[in-house]
Amino acid sequence: MTSPDLPATMRVAVMYDVDDIRIEERPLPTLQPGDALVRTAASGVCSGDLMPWYVRKKAPFVFGHEPAGTVVALGADPSGKLTVGDRVFAHHHAPCLACATCHAGLYVHCATWRTTALEPGGMAEYFRIPRANFLDTLRLPDAVSFLDGSLVEPLGCVVKSLRRALAIAPSMPLVATESRRAPDLRGQTVFVIGAGVMGLMHVAVAASLGATVYASDFNAARRAAAVALGAALAFEPATAHADLVAATDGRLASTTICGPGAPAALEAAVCATGTDGTVLMFTPIEPGERFTFDQSAAYFRDIRLVSSYSCGPTDTRDALALITAGIVTAAKLQA
């Protein structure tokens, strides 16, 4: 079950360092029983692949793990879940859905999740989806472009982040349906530090659920994009704390999403969070680095510090629903 005229080799982009990316020729992946081969149409680049310390510990590697494309071949004994011609998003990791960790909804800590991977990665002309990864492979609706499909994984990370930060139950959809309501975040104040692509998606989703959203970024164009996606105001970092105090009449944020993996950003996030609030650490800082904050102020304000690492199948399905509803699209993020 193979598309005709597949080449014997393909081009891949290999990251040797953050400033050393090489185009190389490699054989097409060999399909094992139940696998699928996908012709890549679009792939994102993980923000982790821009962090030197993270890149250098695993280089060289084919980077990008947010691909979307078309199934062009199936291995022996196909499962029937995919067919040649399907337009798909494939997650680079997938859990077993059967262990105690998965039953608790902690998919990214499942032993199977940590051992699964797409071959060789997103920045390749073709990639192999192992049968195990079918548990987090989604068919794209006809109205969803491949560019939008490449946003499923990063937006899934945002979905998980907001669920953890705002204590939204996994069973509650983030897009309202005829039979189910989405969370109502009116009265919540969300402050997003860093308005890159991931920060902008946080802004768009939180605003779509009714939260009052503020953002900060050094880049004026990013600040403007945050406002276009629903932020009430976007601040320059140098004045962000004072601006947030003024905008909230001193209450500060009920939830602060810290995008950058930088000690100074985390310190600012703690300072920006009000009584009984939550600071969400979205990106890790380099191992061994430390950050300091006013522990007494955090203590007497009952502030929670939580983290959010990657995403699982429930998150990617919510992400695809948000994309299908037009809340987050590649065009909106590029505007």
Side-chain angles (χ1 to χ4, degrees):
M1 304 181 69
T2 303
S3 178
D5 303 323
L6 287 175
T9 62
M10 63 180 181
R11 291 174 299 172
V12 302
V14 183
M15 180 172 279
Y16 287 83
D17 207 332
V18 288
D19 56 357
D20 183 2
I21 298 171
R22 309 174 196 177
I23 305 300
E24 299 178 354
E25 196 85 7
R26 290 191 182 177
L28 252 63
T30 300
L31 296 184
Q32 303 299 319
D35 292 352
L37 184 69
V38 175
R39 179 184 291 115
T40 309
S43 179
V45 178
C46 178
S47 54
D49 291 344
L50 304 177
M51 297 188 297
W53 66 266
Y54 187 72
V55 167
R56 289 166 186 158
K57 75 177 186 177
K58 60 178 184 174
F61 63 101
V62 176
F63 68 106
H65 53 239
E66 299 92 342
T70 303
V71 176
V72 295
L74 298 172
D77 302 320
S79 66
K81 293 183 178 180
L82 295 177
T83 60
V84 170
D86 282 347
R87 302 169 65 253
V88 297
F89 147 80
H91 197 169
H92 59 301
H93 297 308
C96 69
L97 300 184
C99 66
T101 302
C102 285
H103 289 160
L106 304 174
Y107 303 114
V108 303
H109 303 291
C110 166
T112 299
W113 190 92
R114 291 176 175 270
T115 59
T116 52
L118 302 177
E119 181 193 1
M123 292 297 173
E125 290 186 285
Y126 297 85
F127 63 90
R128 179 178 71 92
I129 308 177
R131 172 178 257 170
N133 287 64
F134 284 18
L135 291 177
D136 203 358
T137 296
L138 304 176
R139 288 186 180 89
L140 299 178
D142 291 340
V144 173
S145 70
F146 286 122
L147 280 178
D148 289 340
S150 71
L151 292 176
V152 172
E153 192 273 347
L155 183 54
C157 295
V158 169
V159 167
K160 181 187 171 192
S161 166
L162 288 172
R163 283 192 181 281
R164 288 180 61 78
L166 295 161
I168 300 171
S171 59
M172 181 170 285
L174 297 192
V175 177
T177 65
E178 290 184 2
S179 59
R180 301 173 72 191
R181 291 184 178 181
D184 184 352
L185 299 185
R186 285 175 294 182
Q188 296 273 357
T189 301
V190 177
F191 179 40
V192 179
I193 296 177
V197 170
M198 305 304 288
L200 291 175
M201 288 194 285
H202 276 94
V203 168
V205 177
S208 76
L209 297 174
T212 300
V213 184
Y214 301 100
S216 68
D217 199 279
F218 291 101
N219 186 292
R222 290 179 174 183
R223 295 196 297 272
V227 172
L229 286 168
L233 294 168
F235 314 128
E236 294 186 33
T239 61
H241 186 80
D243 292 339
L244 184 65
V245 168
T248 62
D249 294 327
R251 293 185 301 275
L252 301 172
S254 50
T255 299
T256 301
I257 308 293
C258 184
L266 277 167
E267 183 180 357
V270 173
C271 291
T273 305
T275 301
D276 196 35
T278 299
V279 175
L280 188 289
M281 182 171 62
F282 189 71
T283 305
I285 60 177
E286 185 171 355
E289 253 191 300
R290 300 289 185 265
F291 80 99
T292 60
F293 59 96
D294 186 339
Q295 297 163 45
S296 179
Y299 178 87
F300 286 108
R301 293 207 300 268
D302 274 333
I303 289 175
R304 294 172 292 277
L305 174 63
V306 300
S307 61
S308 185
Y309 166 52
S310 194
C311 64
T314 55
D315 307 308
T316 55
R317 282 156 180 74
D318 276 340
L320 183 54
L322 288 162
I323 291 167
T324 303
I327 293 168
V328 173
T329 64
K332 285 185 175 181
L333 294 175
Q334 292 169 345

